[in-house]
Amino acid sequence: MGVYEEKKETCGTICLKYLLFTFNFLFWLAGGVVIAVGVWTLVEKSDYISLLSSKTYAASAYILVLAGVIVMVTGVLGCCATFKEQKKLLRVYFVLLLCIFLLEILAGILACIYYQQLNEELKQNLKNTMVKKYREEKENEHITRAVDKLQQEFKCCGSHNSSDWAESSWIRSVFSEGRVVPDSCCKTVLDLCGRRNHPSNIYKVEGGCITKLENFILDHLKIIGAVGIGIACVQIFGMVFTCCLYRSLKAEPY
C-alpha cells in the first residue's frame, strides 16, 4: 500500500511539473504580447501622449512593458524551477508571479480610472494646448507635430471646430502668412492652403479633434486594461500550480 501511495504521489508531481511547464511557455509568449502592446502604445502613438496633461495613459503603458519584461524572465525561471524541483527557486518564482500580478492589476486599474477622467481632461486642455503651443516655441515642436498628425490622421480641424484656430497666437501673428487654420486642416495639404477655410478645402468634422482623439484613446485604454487584467487572471492558475508542486516536493535539507 505504501508503494502504491508513493507511485501515486510521484505521478501527481510529474503531472504538476508538465502543467507548470506548459503554463510557463504560454506565460512567456504572453509576456511578449504585453511588451508589444506597451511599446506600440509608447512608440507608435507617442505624439498623442504629448497632447495629454496627465501622465496616467503613458504610465499604464510603461507598467505593461515592465510587467512584460519580468514575465519573460519569470517564464524562463519557472521552467528551471519546475524541472530542477528546487523549492528555493519555486519560492522566488512565486514571488515574481505575485509582483507581476500586482503590476498588471495596477496597469488595468490606472487604465480604468483614466477612462473615466479622459473626457474632462481633453475638454480642459486640448484646445488650450493647440492654440497656445502650436508653432510657438522650439521646445514645443513635438506639440506641433502631434497636432498636425492628429488633424491629418483623423481628418479634423481644431479642438471642437475650425473656428478654435482664431484664438491661436500663431494664427494671429505675421508668421502664419495669412493662414486662418494650419495647413494640416486641409483635405489636400499644400503650402498656404490654410488661408481658405471653406468646407470644400478643410475638414469640418462635427465634434472636432477632441471627439476623435477621445475615442482613439478610449479604445487603447480598453486594450491596455483588458491585457493587464486578463493576463493577471491567468497568472492565478500559475500561482496555484506552483503552490501545489511546492507542497508535493519532499522537504529539502537546509
Side-chain angles (χ1 to χ4, degrees):
M1 190 72 171
V3 175
Y4 174 76
E5 290 295 333
E6 187 178 343
K7 284 183 180 177
K8 186 179 177 182
E9 184 183 18
T10 303
C11 259
T13 302
I14 290 170
C15 287
L16 279 171
K17 281 172 63 176
Y18 281 100
L19 273 173
L20 197 51
F21 177 79
T22 303
F23 169 82
N24 277 306
F25 177 70
L26 296 175
F27 193 48
W28 184 83
L29 291 177
V33 173
V34 171
I35 293 173
V37 171
V39 169
W40 174 64
T41 300
L42 293 170
V43 175
E44 186 69 17
K45 307 302 175 185
S46 59
D47 288 336
Y48 297 147
I49 291 174
S50 67
L51 296 176
L52 304 173
S53 59
S54 170
K55 303 301 179 188
T56 310
Y57 180 57
S60 299
Y62 279 119
I63 290 171
L64 271 190
V65 173
L66 175 62
V69 170
I70 300 174
V71 161
M72 297 193 81
V73 173
T74 303
V76 175
L77 176 65
C79 290
C80 295
T82 301
F83 281 101
K84 289 188 177 181
E85 296 187 5
Q86 291 185 5
K87 296 183 83 172
K88 286 182 182 178
L89 277 179
L90 282 173
R91 281 198 295 268
V92 172
Y93 173 66
F94 181 84
V95 170
L96 285 174
L97 277 182
L98 185 60
C99 290
I100 298 164
F101 177 81
L102 295 174
L103 276 175
E104 287 172 343
I105 289 293
L106 177 61
I109 290 172
L110 283 176
C112 290
I113 291 172
Y114 194 54
Y115 188 95
Q116 306 298 325
Q117 299 174 343
L118 180 63
N119 181 267
E120 195 59 35
E121 180 189 325
L122 288 176
K123 282 180 182 177
Q124 291 176 1
N125 297 295
L126 185 60
K127 180 179 177 180
N128 189 57
T129 299
M130 292 173 83
V131 301
K132 289 188 176 180
K133 294 184 178 180
Y134 185 81
R135 292 204 177 187
E136 281 305 301
E137 300 289 342
K138 192 169 183 180
E139 59 266 24
N140 288 329
E141 282 182 3
H142 64 292
I143 299 289
T144 300
R145 284 196 306 273
V147 171
D148 285 338
K149 182 178 178 181
L150 175 68
Q151 295 191 141
Q152 274 297 295
E153 190 169 312
F154 293 119
K155 297 178 171 45
C156 57
C157 184
S159 176
H160 296 89
N161 51 60
S162 58
S163 62
D164 290 338
W165 285 109
E167 301 175 36
S168 167
S169 305
W170 176 72
I171 288 292
R172 290 176 174 180
S173 72
V174 295
F175 300 108
S176 68
E177 300 181 79
R179 293 177 178 87
V180 289
V181 293
D183 292 341
S184 57
C185 281
C186 299
K187 294 178 180 178
T188 302
V189 179
L190 298 169
D191 191 34
L192 299 177
C193 66
R195 287 177 172 177
R196 181 169 169 266
N197 68 348
H198 191 272
S200 64
N201 183 51
I202 68 167
Y203 295 114
K204 294 277 189 179
V205 180
E206 190 173 343
C209 293
I210 191 170
T211 303
K212 298 279 189 175
L213 183 58
E214 181 183 8
N215 291 336
F216 169 82
I217 294 177
L218 287 178
D219 287 342
H220 283 75
L221 284 173
K222 288 176 187 176
I223 294 171
I224 291 173
V227 168
I229 293 176
I231 293 179
C233 291
V234 171
Q235 282 177 239
I236 295 172
F237 291 101
M239 289 189 277
V240 170
F241 292 153
T242 304
C243 288
C244 291
L245 180 59
Y246 185 88
R247 289 172 63 87
S248 72
L249 296 177
K250 292 179 180 180
E252 292 181 347
Y254 290 92

